[in-house]
């Protein structure tokens, strides 16, 4: 969704320097790195983590790491990532026979199917029994260290699939000139607004959206200083309302049937997907109280114990993206965007059932317009349904780099949510 001419200009020199480093270590610069290069500080952190996961010492052999990446990306029909890792799998000596489909892979890898499916779509269903089944002694059993590396790889690639679809990234060989370039914007070189706001009124509306958001952020920040008392009951109610809000996500008929052939062979139970909590009569997942199992106090130390170094890099990546700011919003400078970044992060966790006791979910409703919520929920829960239209409909006056920033927050919040469910199950198994 992002025009090519946007890519090198916005990040300036340091961005290009990052890309060159990436190019040297991988032999090429892929489109994911080019888009992430709009935020060089993040790209650097992401690259170090992915490098450790795929190329450095670890419990799993290299070819199996790439096969797990294929299995994870296939859950969201992400042909970009599946194709990329099929090539990498062969380059590190993987057997071509395995690429005929899961039925040709060793049983040990096939045993990951269930947990792959749950982490991709309904991570709240992962239990210590799933962990126990994989670790049970036998010919195809996993060691705890191998399993933790596999869990990190699965959640990494589920989330990266969200990023690929959220930004509309195409495989390197494809240049779709017709739809990848926006009409030049009358407002700013890098705003996607113009393509959709035909005539003057659309542009004015988009301007008003920006001003309204600025006003709401300011009010919320002032209110926080005054410490308005909201009861715990009210906070809980606001979370439930947010979690069960009905949003019209694009239907699945936008999926391109031609994509399915090379991906379907890596999928079992392809119909299994995210379960919306809004359907009447269906049991919403039990709320995961963030305070009961946090990344900082529990997840981080568990990973570091079983898979050294990766905990540190994941932690740095979460921190970088959560605190990343240029203090700008659309055409405004000198803006404190912390309340907005927190609302986006907490909303992603909310759609996966995670609640922060000390957060007022009323803020989500005030700061995230409906079109943005639809976009976030689609990219986080049904990434393969993301369309260029829903990318264009939210924040019409914002730069592409700001929309990429949202996708980075989404990627990391989604990964952390799934990892928390997985690691909680590992902790329960161990205790």
């Amino acid at each position: 969704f992002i025009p090519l001419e946007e890519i090198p200009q916005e990040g300036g020199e340091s961005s290009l320097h990052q890309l060159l480093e990436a190019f040297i270590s991988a032999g090429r610069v892929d489109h994911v790195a080019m888009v992430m290069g709009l935020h060089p500080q993040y790209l650097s952190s992401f690259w170090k983590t992915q490098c450790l996961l795929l190329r450095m010492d670890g419990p799993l052999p290299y070819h199996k790491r790439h096969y797990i990446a294929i299995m994870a990306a296939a859950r969201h029909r992400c042909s970009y990532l599946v194709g990329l890792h099929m090539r990498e799998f062969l380059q590190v000596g993987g057997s071509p026979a395995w690429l005929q489909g899961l039925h040709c892979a060793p049983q040990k890898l096939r045993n990951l199917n269930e947990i792959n499916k749950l982490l991709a779509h309904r991570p709240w269903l992962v239990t210590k029994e799933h962990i126990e089944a994989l670790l049970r002694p036998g010919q195809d059993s996993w060691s705890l260290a191998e399993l933790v590396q596999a869990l990190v790889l699965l959640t990494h690639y589920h989330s990266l699939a969200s990023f690929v679809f959220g930004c509309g990234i195409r495989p390197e060989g494809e240049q779709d000139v017709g739809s990848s370039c926006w009409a030049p914007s009358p407002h700013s070189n890098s705003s996607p607004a113009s393509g959709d706001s035909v005539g003057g009124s659309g542009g004015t509306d988009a301007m008003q959206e920006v001003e309204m958001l600025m006003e709401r952020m300011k009010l919320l920040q002032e209110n926080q200083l005054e410490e308005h008392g909201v009861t715990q009951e009210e906070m809980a109610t606001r979370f439930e309302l947010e979690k069960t809000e009905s949003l019209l996500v694009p239907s699945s008929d936008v999926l391109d049937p031609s994509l399915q052939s090379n991906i379907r062979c890596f999928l079992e139970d392809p119909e299994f997907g995210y379960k919306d909590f809004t359907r009447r009569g269906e049991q919403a997942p039990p709320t995961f109280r963030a305070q009961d199992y946090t990344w900082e106090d529990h997840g981080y130390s568990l990973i570091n114990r079983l898979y050294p170094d990766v905990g540190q890099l994941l932690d740095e990546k979460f921190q970088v993206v959560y605190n990343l700011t240029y203090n700008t919003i659309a055409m405004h400078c000198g803006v404190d965007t912390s309340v907005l970044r927190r609302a986006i992060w907490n909303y992603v966790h909310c759609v996966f059932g995670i609640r922060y006791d000390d957060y007022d979910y009323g803020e989500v409703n005030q700061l995230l317009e409906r079109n943005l919520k639809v976009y976030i929920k689609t990219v986080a829960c049904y990434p393969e349904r993301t369309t260029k239209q829903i990318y264009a409909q939210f924040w019409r006056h914002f730069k592409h780099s700001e929309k990429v920033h949202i996708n980075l927050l989404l990627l990391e919040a989604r990964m952390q949510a799934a990892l928390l469910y997985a690691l909680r199950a590992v902790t329960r198994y161990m205790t």
Side-chain angles (χ1 to χ4, degrees):
F1 306 147
I2 297 142
L4 212 50
E5 61 270 16
E6 291 288 308
I7 302 295
Q9 301 160 2
E10 289 197 19
E13 286 307 304
S14 64
S15 168
L16 288 174
H17 177 68
Q18 298 278 353
L19 287 177
L20 284 173
E21 273 184 29
F23 180 76
I24 291 158
S25 65
R28 64 194 179 84
V29 178
D30 59 22
H31 285 172
V32 167
M34 286 170 76
V35 174
M36 285 183 179
L38 289 169
H39 301 282
Q41 193 192 353
Y42 175 82
L43 173 63
S44 169
S45 184
F46 175 87
W47 202 266
K48 278 189 285 190
T49 309
Q50 187 164 273
C51 216
L52 181 72
L53 285 175
L54 295 175
R55 297 193 166 85
M56 309 299 249
D57 287 349
L60 290 170
Y62 299 121
H63 66 295
K64 286 188 177 171
R65 301 179 197 189
H66 289 291
Y67 203 82
I68 290 167
I70 293 168
M71 290 173 68
R75 281 308 324 170
H76 288 307
R77 317 330 192 236
C78 186
S79 57
Y80 176 92
L81 291 174
V82 169
L84 181 77
H85 288 282
M86 283 171 78
R87 292 191 295 276
E88 298 256 359
F89 171 79
L90 293 173
Q91 274 170 11
V92 295
S95 160
W98 295 14
L99 297 182
Q100 290 168 26
L102 272 178
H103 60 287
C104 297
Q107 187 60 47
K108 180 171 173 172
L109 283 170
R110 288 159 63 188
N111 289 347
L112 278 182
N113 242 326
E114 184 68 13
I115 208 158
N116 178 26
K117 184 176 85 172
L118 296 178
L119 285 174
H121 308 294
R122 304 178 204 169
W124 53 87
L125 295 179
V126 175
T127 63
K128 71 172 186 183
E129 283 71 30
H130 292 108
I131 305 299
E132 210 171 338
L134 290 162
L135 299 173
R136 197 167 288 132
Q139 199 186 346
D140 303 308
S141 76
W142 289 75
S143 75
L144 197 50
E146 287 175 330
L147 182 57
V148 167
Q149 186 176 16
L151 294 173
V152 175
L153 280 164
L154 289 171
T155 52
H156 177 83
Y157 281 100
H158 295 148
S159 310
L160 192 53
S162 279
F163 182 79
V164 168
F165 283 115
C167 297
I169 295 174
R170 296 171 175 277
E172 281 70 43
E174 280 183 41
Q175 282 307 325
D176 177 17
V177 180
S179 69
S180 68
C181 294
W182 301 90
S185 165
H187 318 297
S188 113
N189 296 334
S190 48
S191 156
S194 53
D196 302 277
S197 51
V198 183
S201 64
T204 320
D205 288 351
M207 290 283 285
Q208 283 169 342
E209 284 169 11
V210 176
E211 298 311 322
M212 211 148 70
L213 179 59
M214 292 283 293
E215 191 55 39
R216 286 176 172 176
M217 282 165 63
K218 199 164 147 241
L219 276 172
L220 279 174
Q221 274 150 346
E222 285 166 4
N223 284 351
Q224 276 173 359
L225 294 174
E226 292 166 29
E227 301 257 314
H228 278 304
V230 181
T231 64
Q232 276 302 313
E233 289 75 18
E234 176 60 23
M235 299 268 254
T237 306
R238 288 177 184 181
F239 170 79
E240 290 303 324
L241 281 172
E242 215 48 70
K243 186 171 82 171
T244 56
E245 182 185 19
S246 182
L247 292 168
L248 205 62
V249 167
S251 67
S252 51
D253 55 61
V254 300
L255 291 184
D256 176 358
S258 67
L259 289 181
Q260 306 308 311
S261 53
N262 75 325
I263 289 175
R264 204 169 194 115
C265 64
F266 298 112
L267 269 179
E268 277 179 15
D269 197 1
E271 305 311 309
F272 189 89
Y274 175 82
K275 195 131 205 126
D276 214 321
F277 315 150
T278 57
R279 294 191 184 134
R280 268 199 293 275
E282 286 199 359
Q283 186 56 48
T287 292
F288 181 133
R289 289 179 70 252
Q291 281 74 1
D292 296 343
Y293 194 91
T294 67
W295 166 254
E296 294 77 13
D297 297 336
H298 308 92
Y300 172 68
S301 56
L302 177 67
I303 283 201
N304 256 3
R305 207 160 70 238
L306 296 166
Y307 187 12
D309 298 335
V310 88
Q312 183 68 47
L313 287 175
L314 287 173
D315 190 56
E316 182 191 310
K317 192 159 61 87
F318 293 146
Q319 294 287 340
V320 164
V321 83
Y322 193 81
N323 297 311
L324 186 66
T325 182
Y326 306 94
N327 298 111
T328 58
I329 271 204
M331 66 299 282
H332 295 278
C333 299
V335 185
D336 177 359
T337 58
S338 55
V339 287
L340 183 58
R341 296 194 311 271
R342 188 172 63 227
I344 292 166
W345 184 276
N346 287 359
Y347 181 59
V348 175
H349 279 195
C350 169
V351 297
F352 287 109
I354 296 176
R355 176 184 170 220
Y356 294 87
D357 286 355
D358 57 352
Y359 182 70
D360 177 3
Y361 287 84
E363 290 189 13
V364 168
N365 238 358
Q366 291 179 60
L367 296 174
L368 310 186
E369 57 178 62
R370 195 170 181 82
N371 284 338
L372 175 54
K373 278 174 149 181
V374 167
Y375 177 80
I376 290 175
K377 189 160 185 184
T378 306
V379 175
C381 307
Y382 316 90
E384 61 280 5
R385 300 189 194 177
T386 312
T387 62
K388 186 163 183 181
Q389 187 185 9
I390 65 165
Y391 174 89
Q393 275 172 341
F394 80 92
W395 279 12
R396 291 171 299 163
H397 221 78
F398 285 64
K399 300 184 188 83
H400 286 293
S401 61
E402 290 173 310
K403 293 194 170 196
V404 171
H405 190 170
I406 282 195
N407 273 285
L408 296 177
L409 277 164
L410 253 161
L411 181 165
E412 295 301 342
R414 178 184 174 183
M415 179 173 183
Q416 194 185 81
L419 256 186
L420 284 172
Y421 281 112
L423 296 173
R424 182 179 67 168
V426 171
T427 299
R428 286 177 175 173
Y429 162 80
M430 290 168 74
T431 50

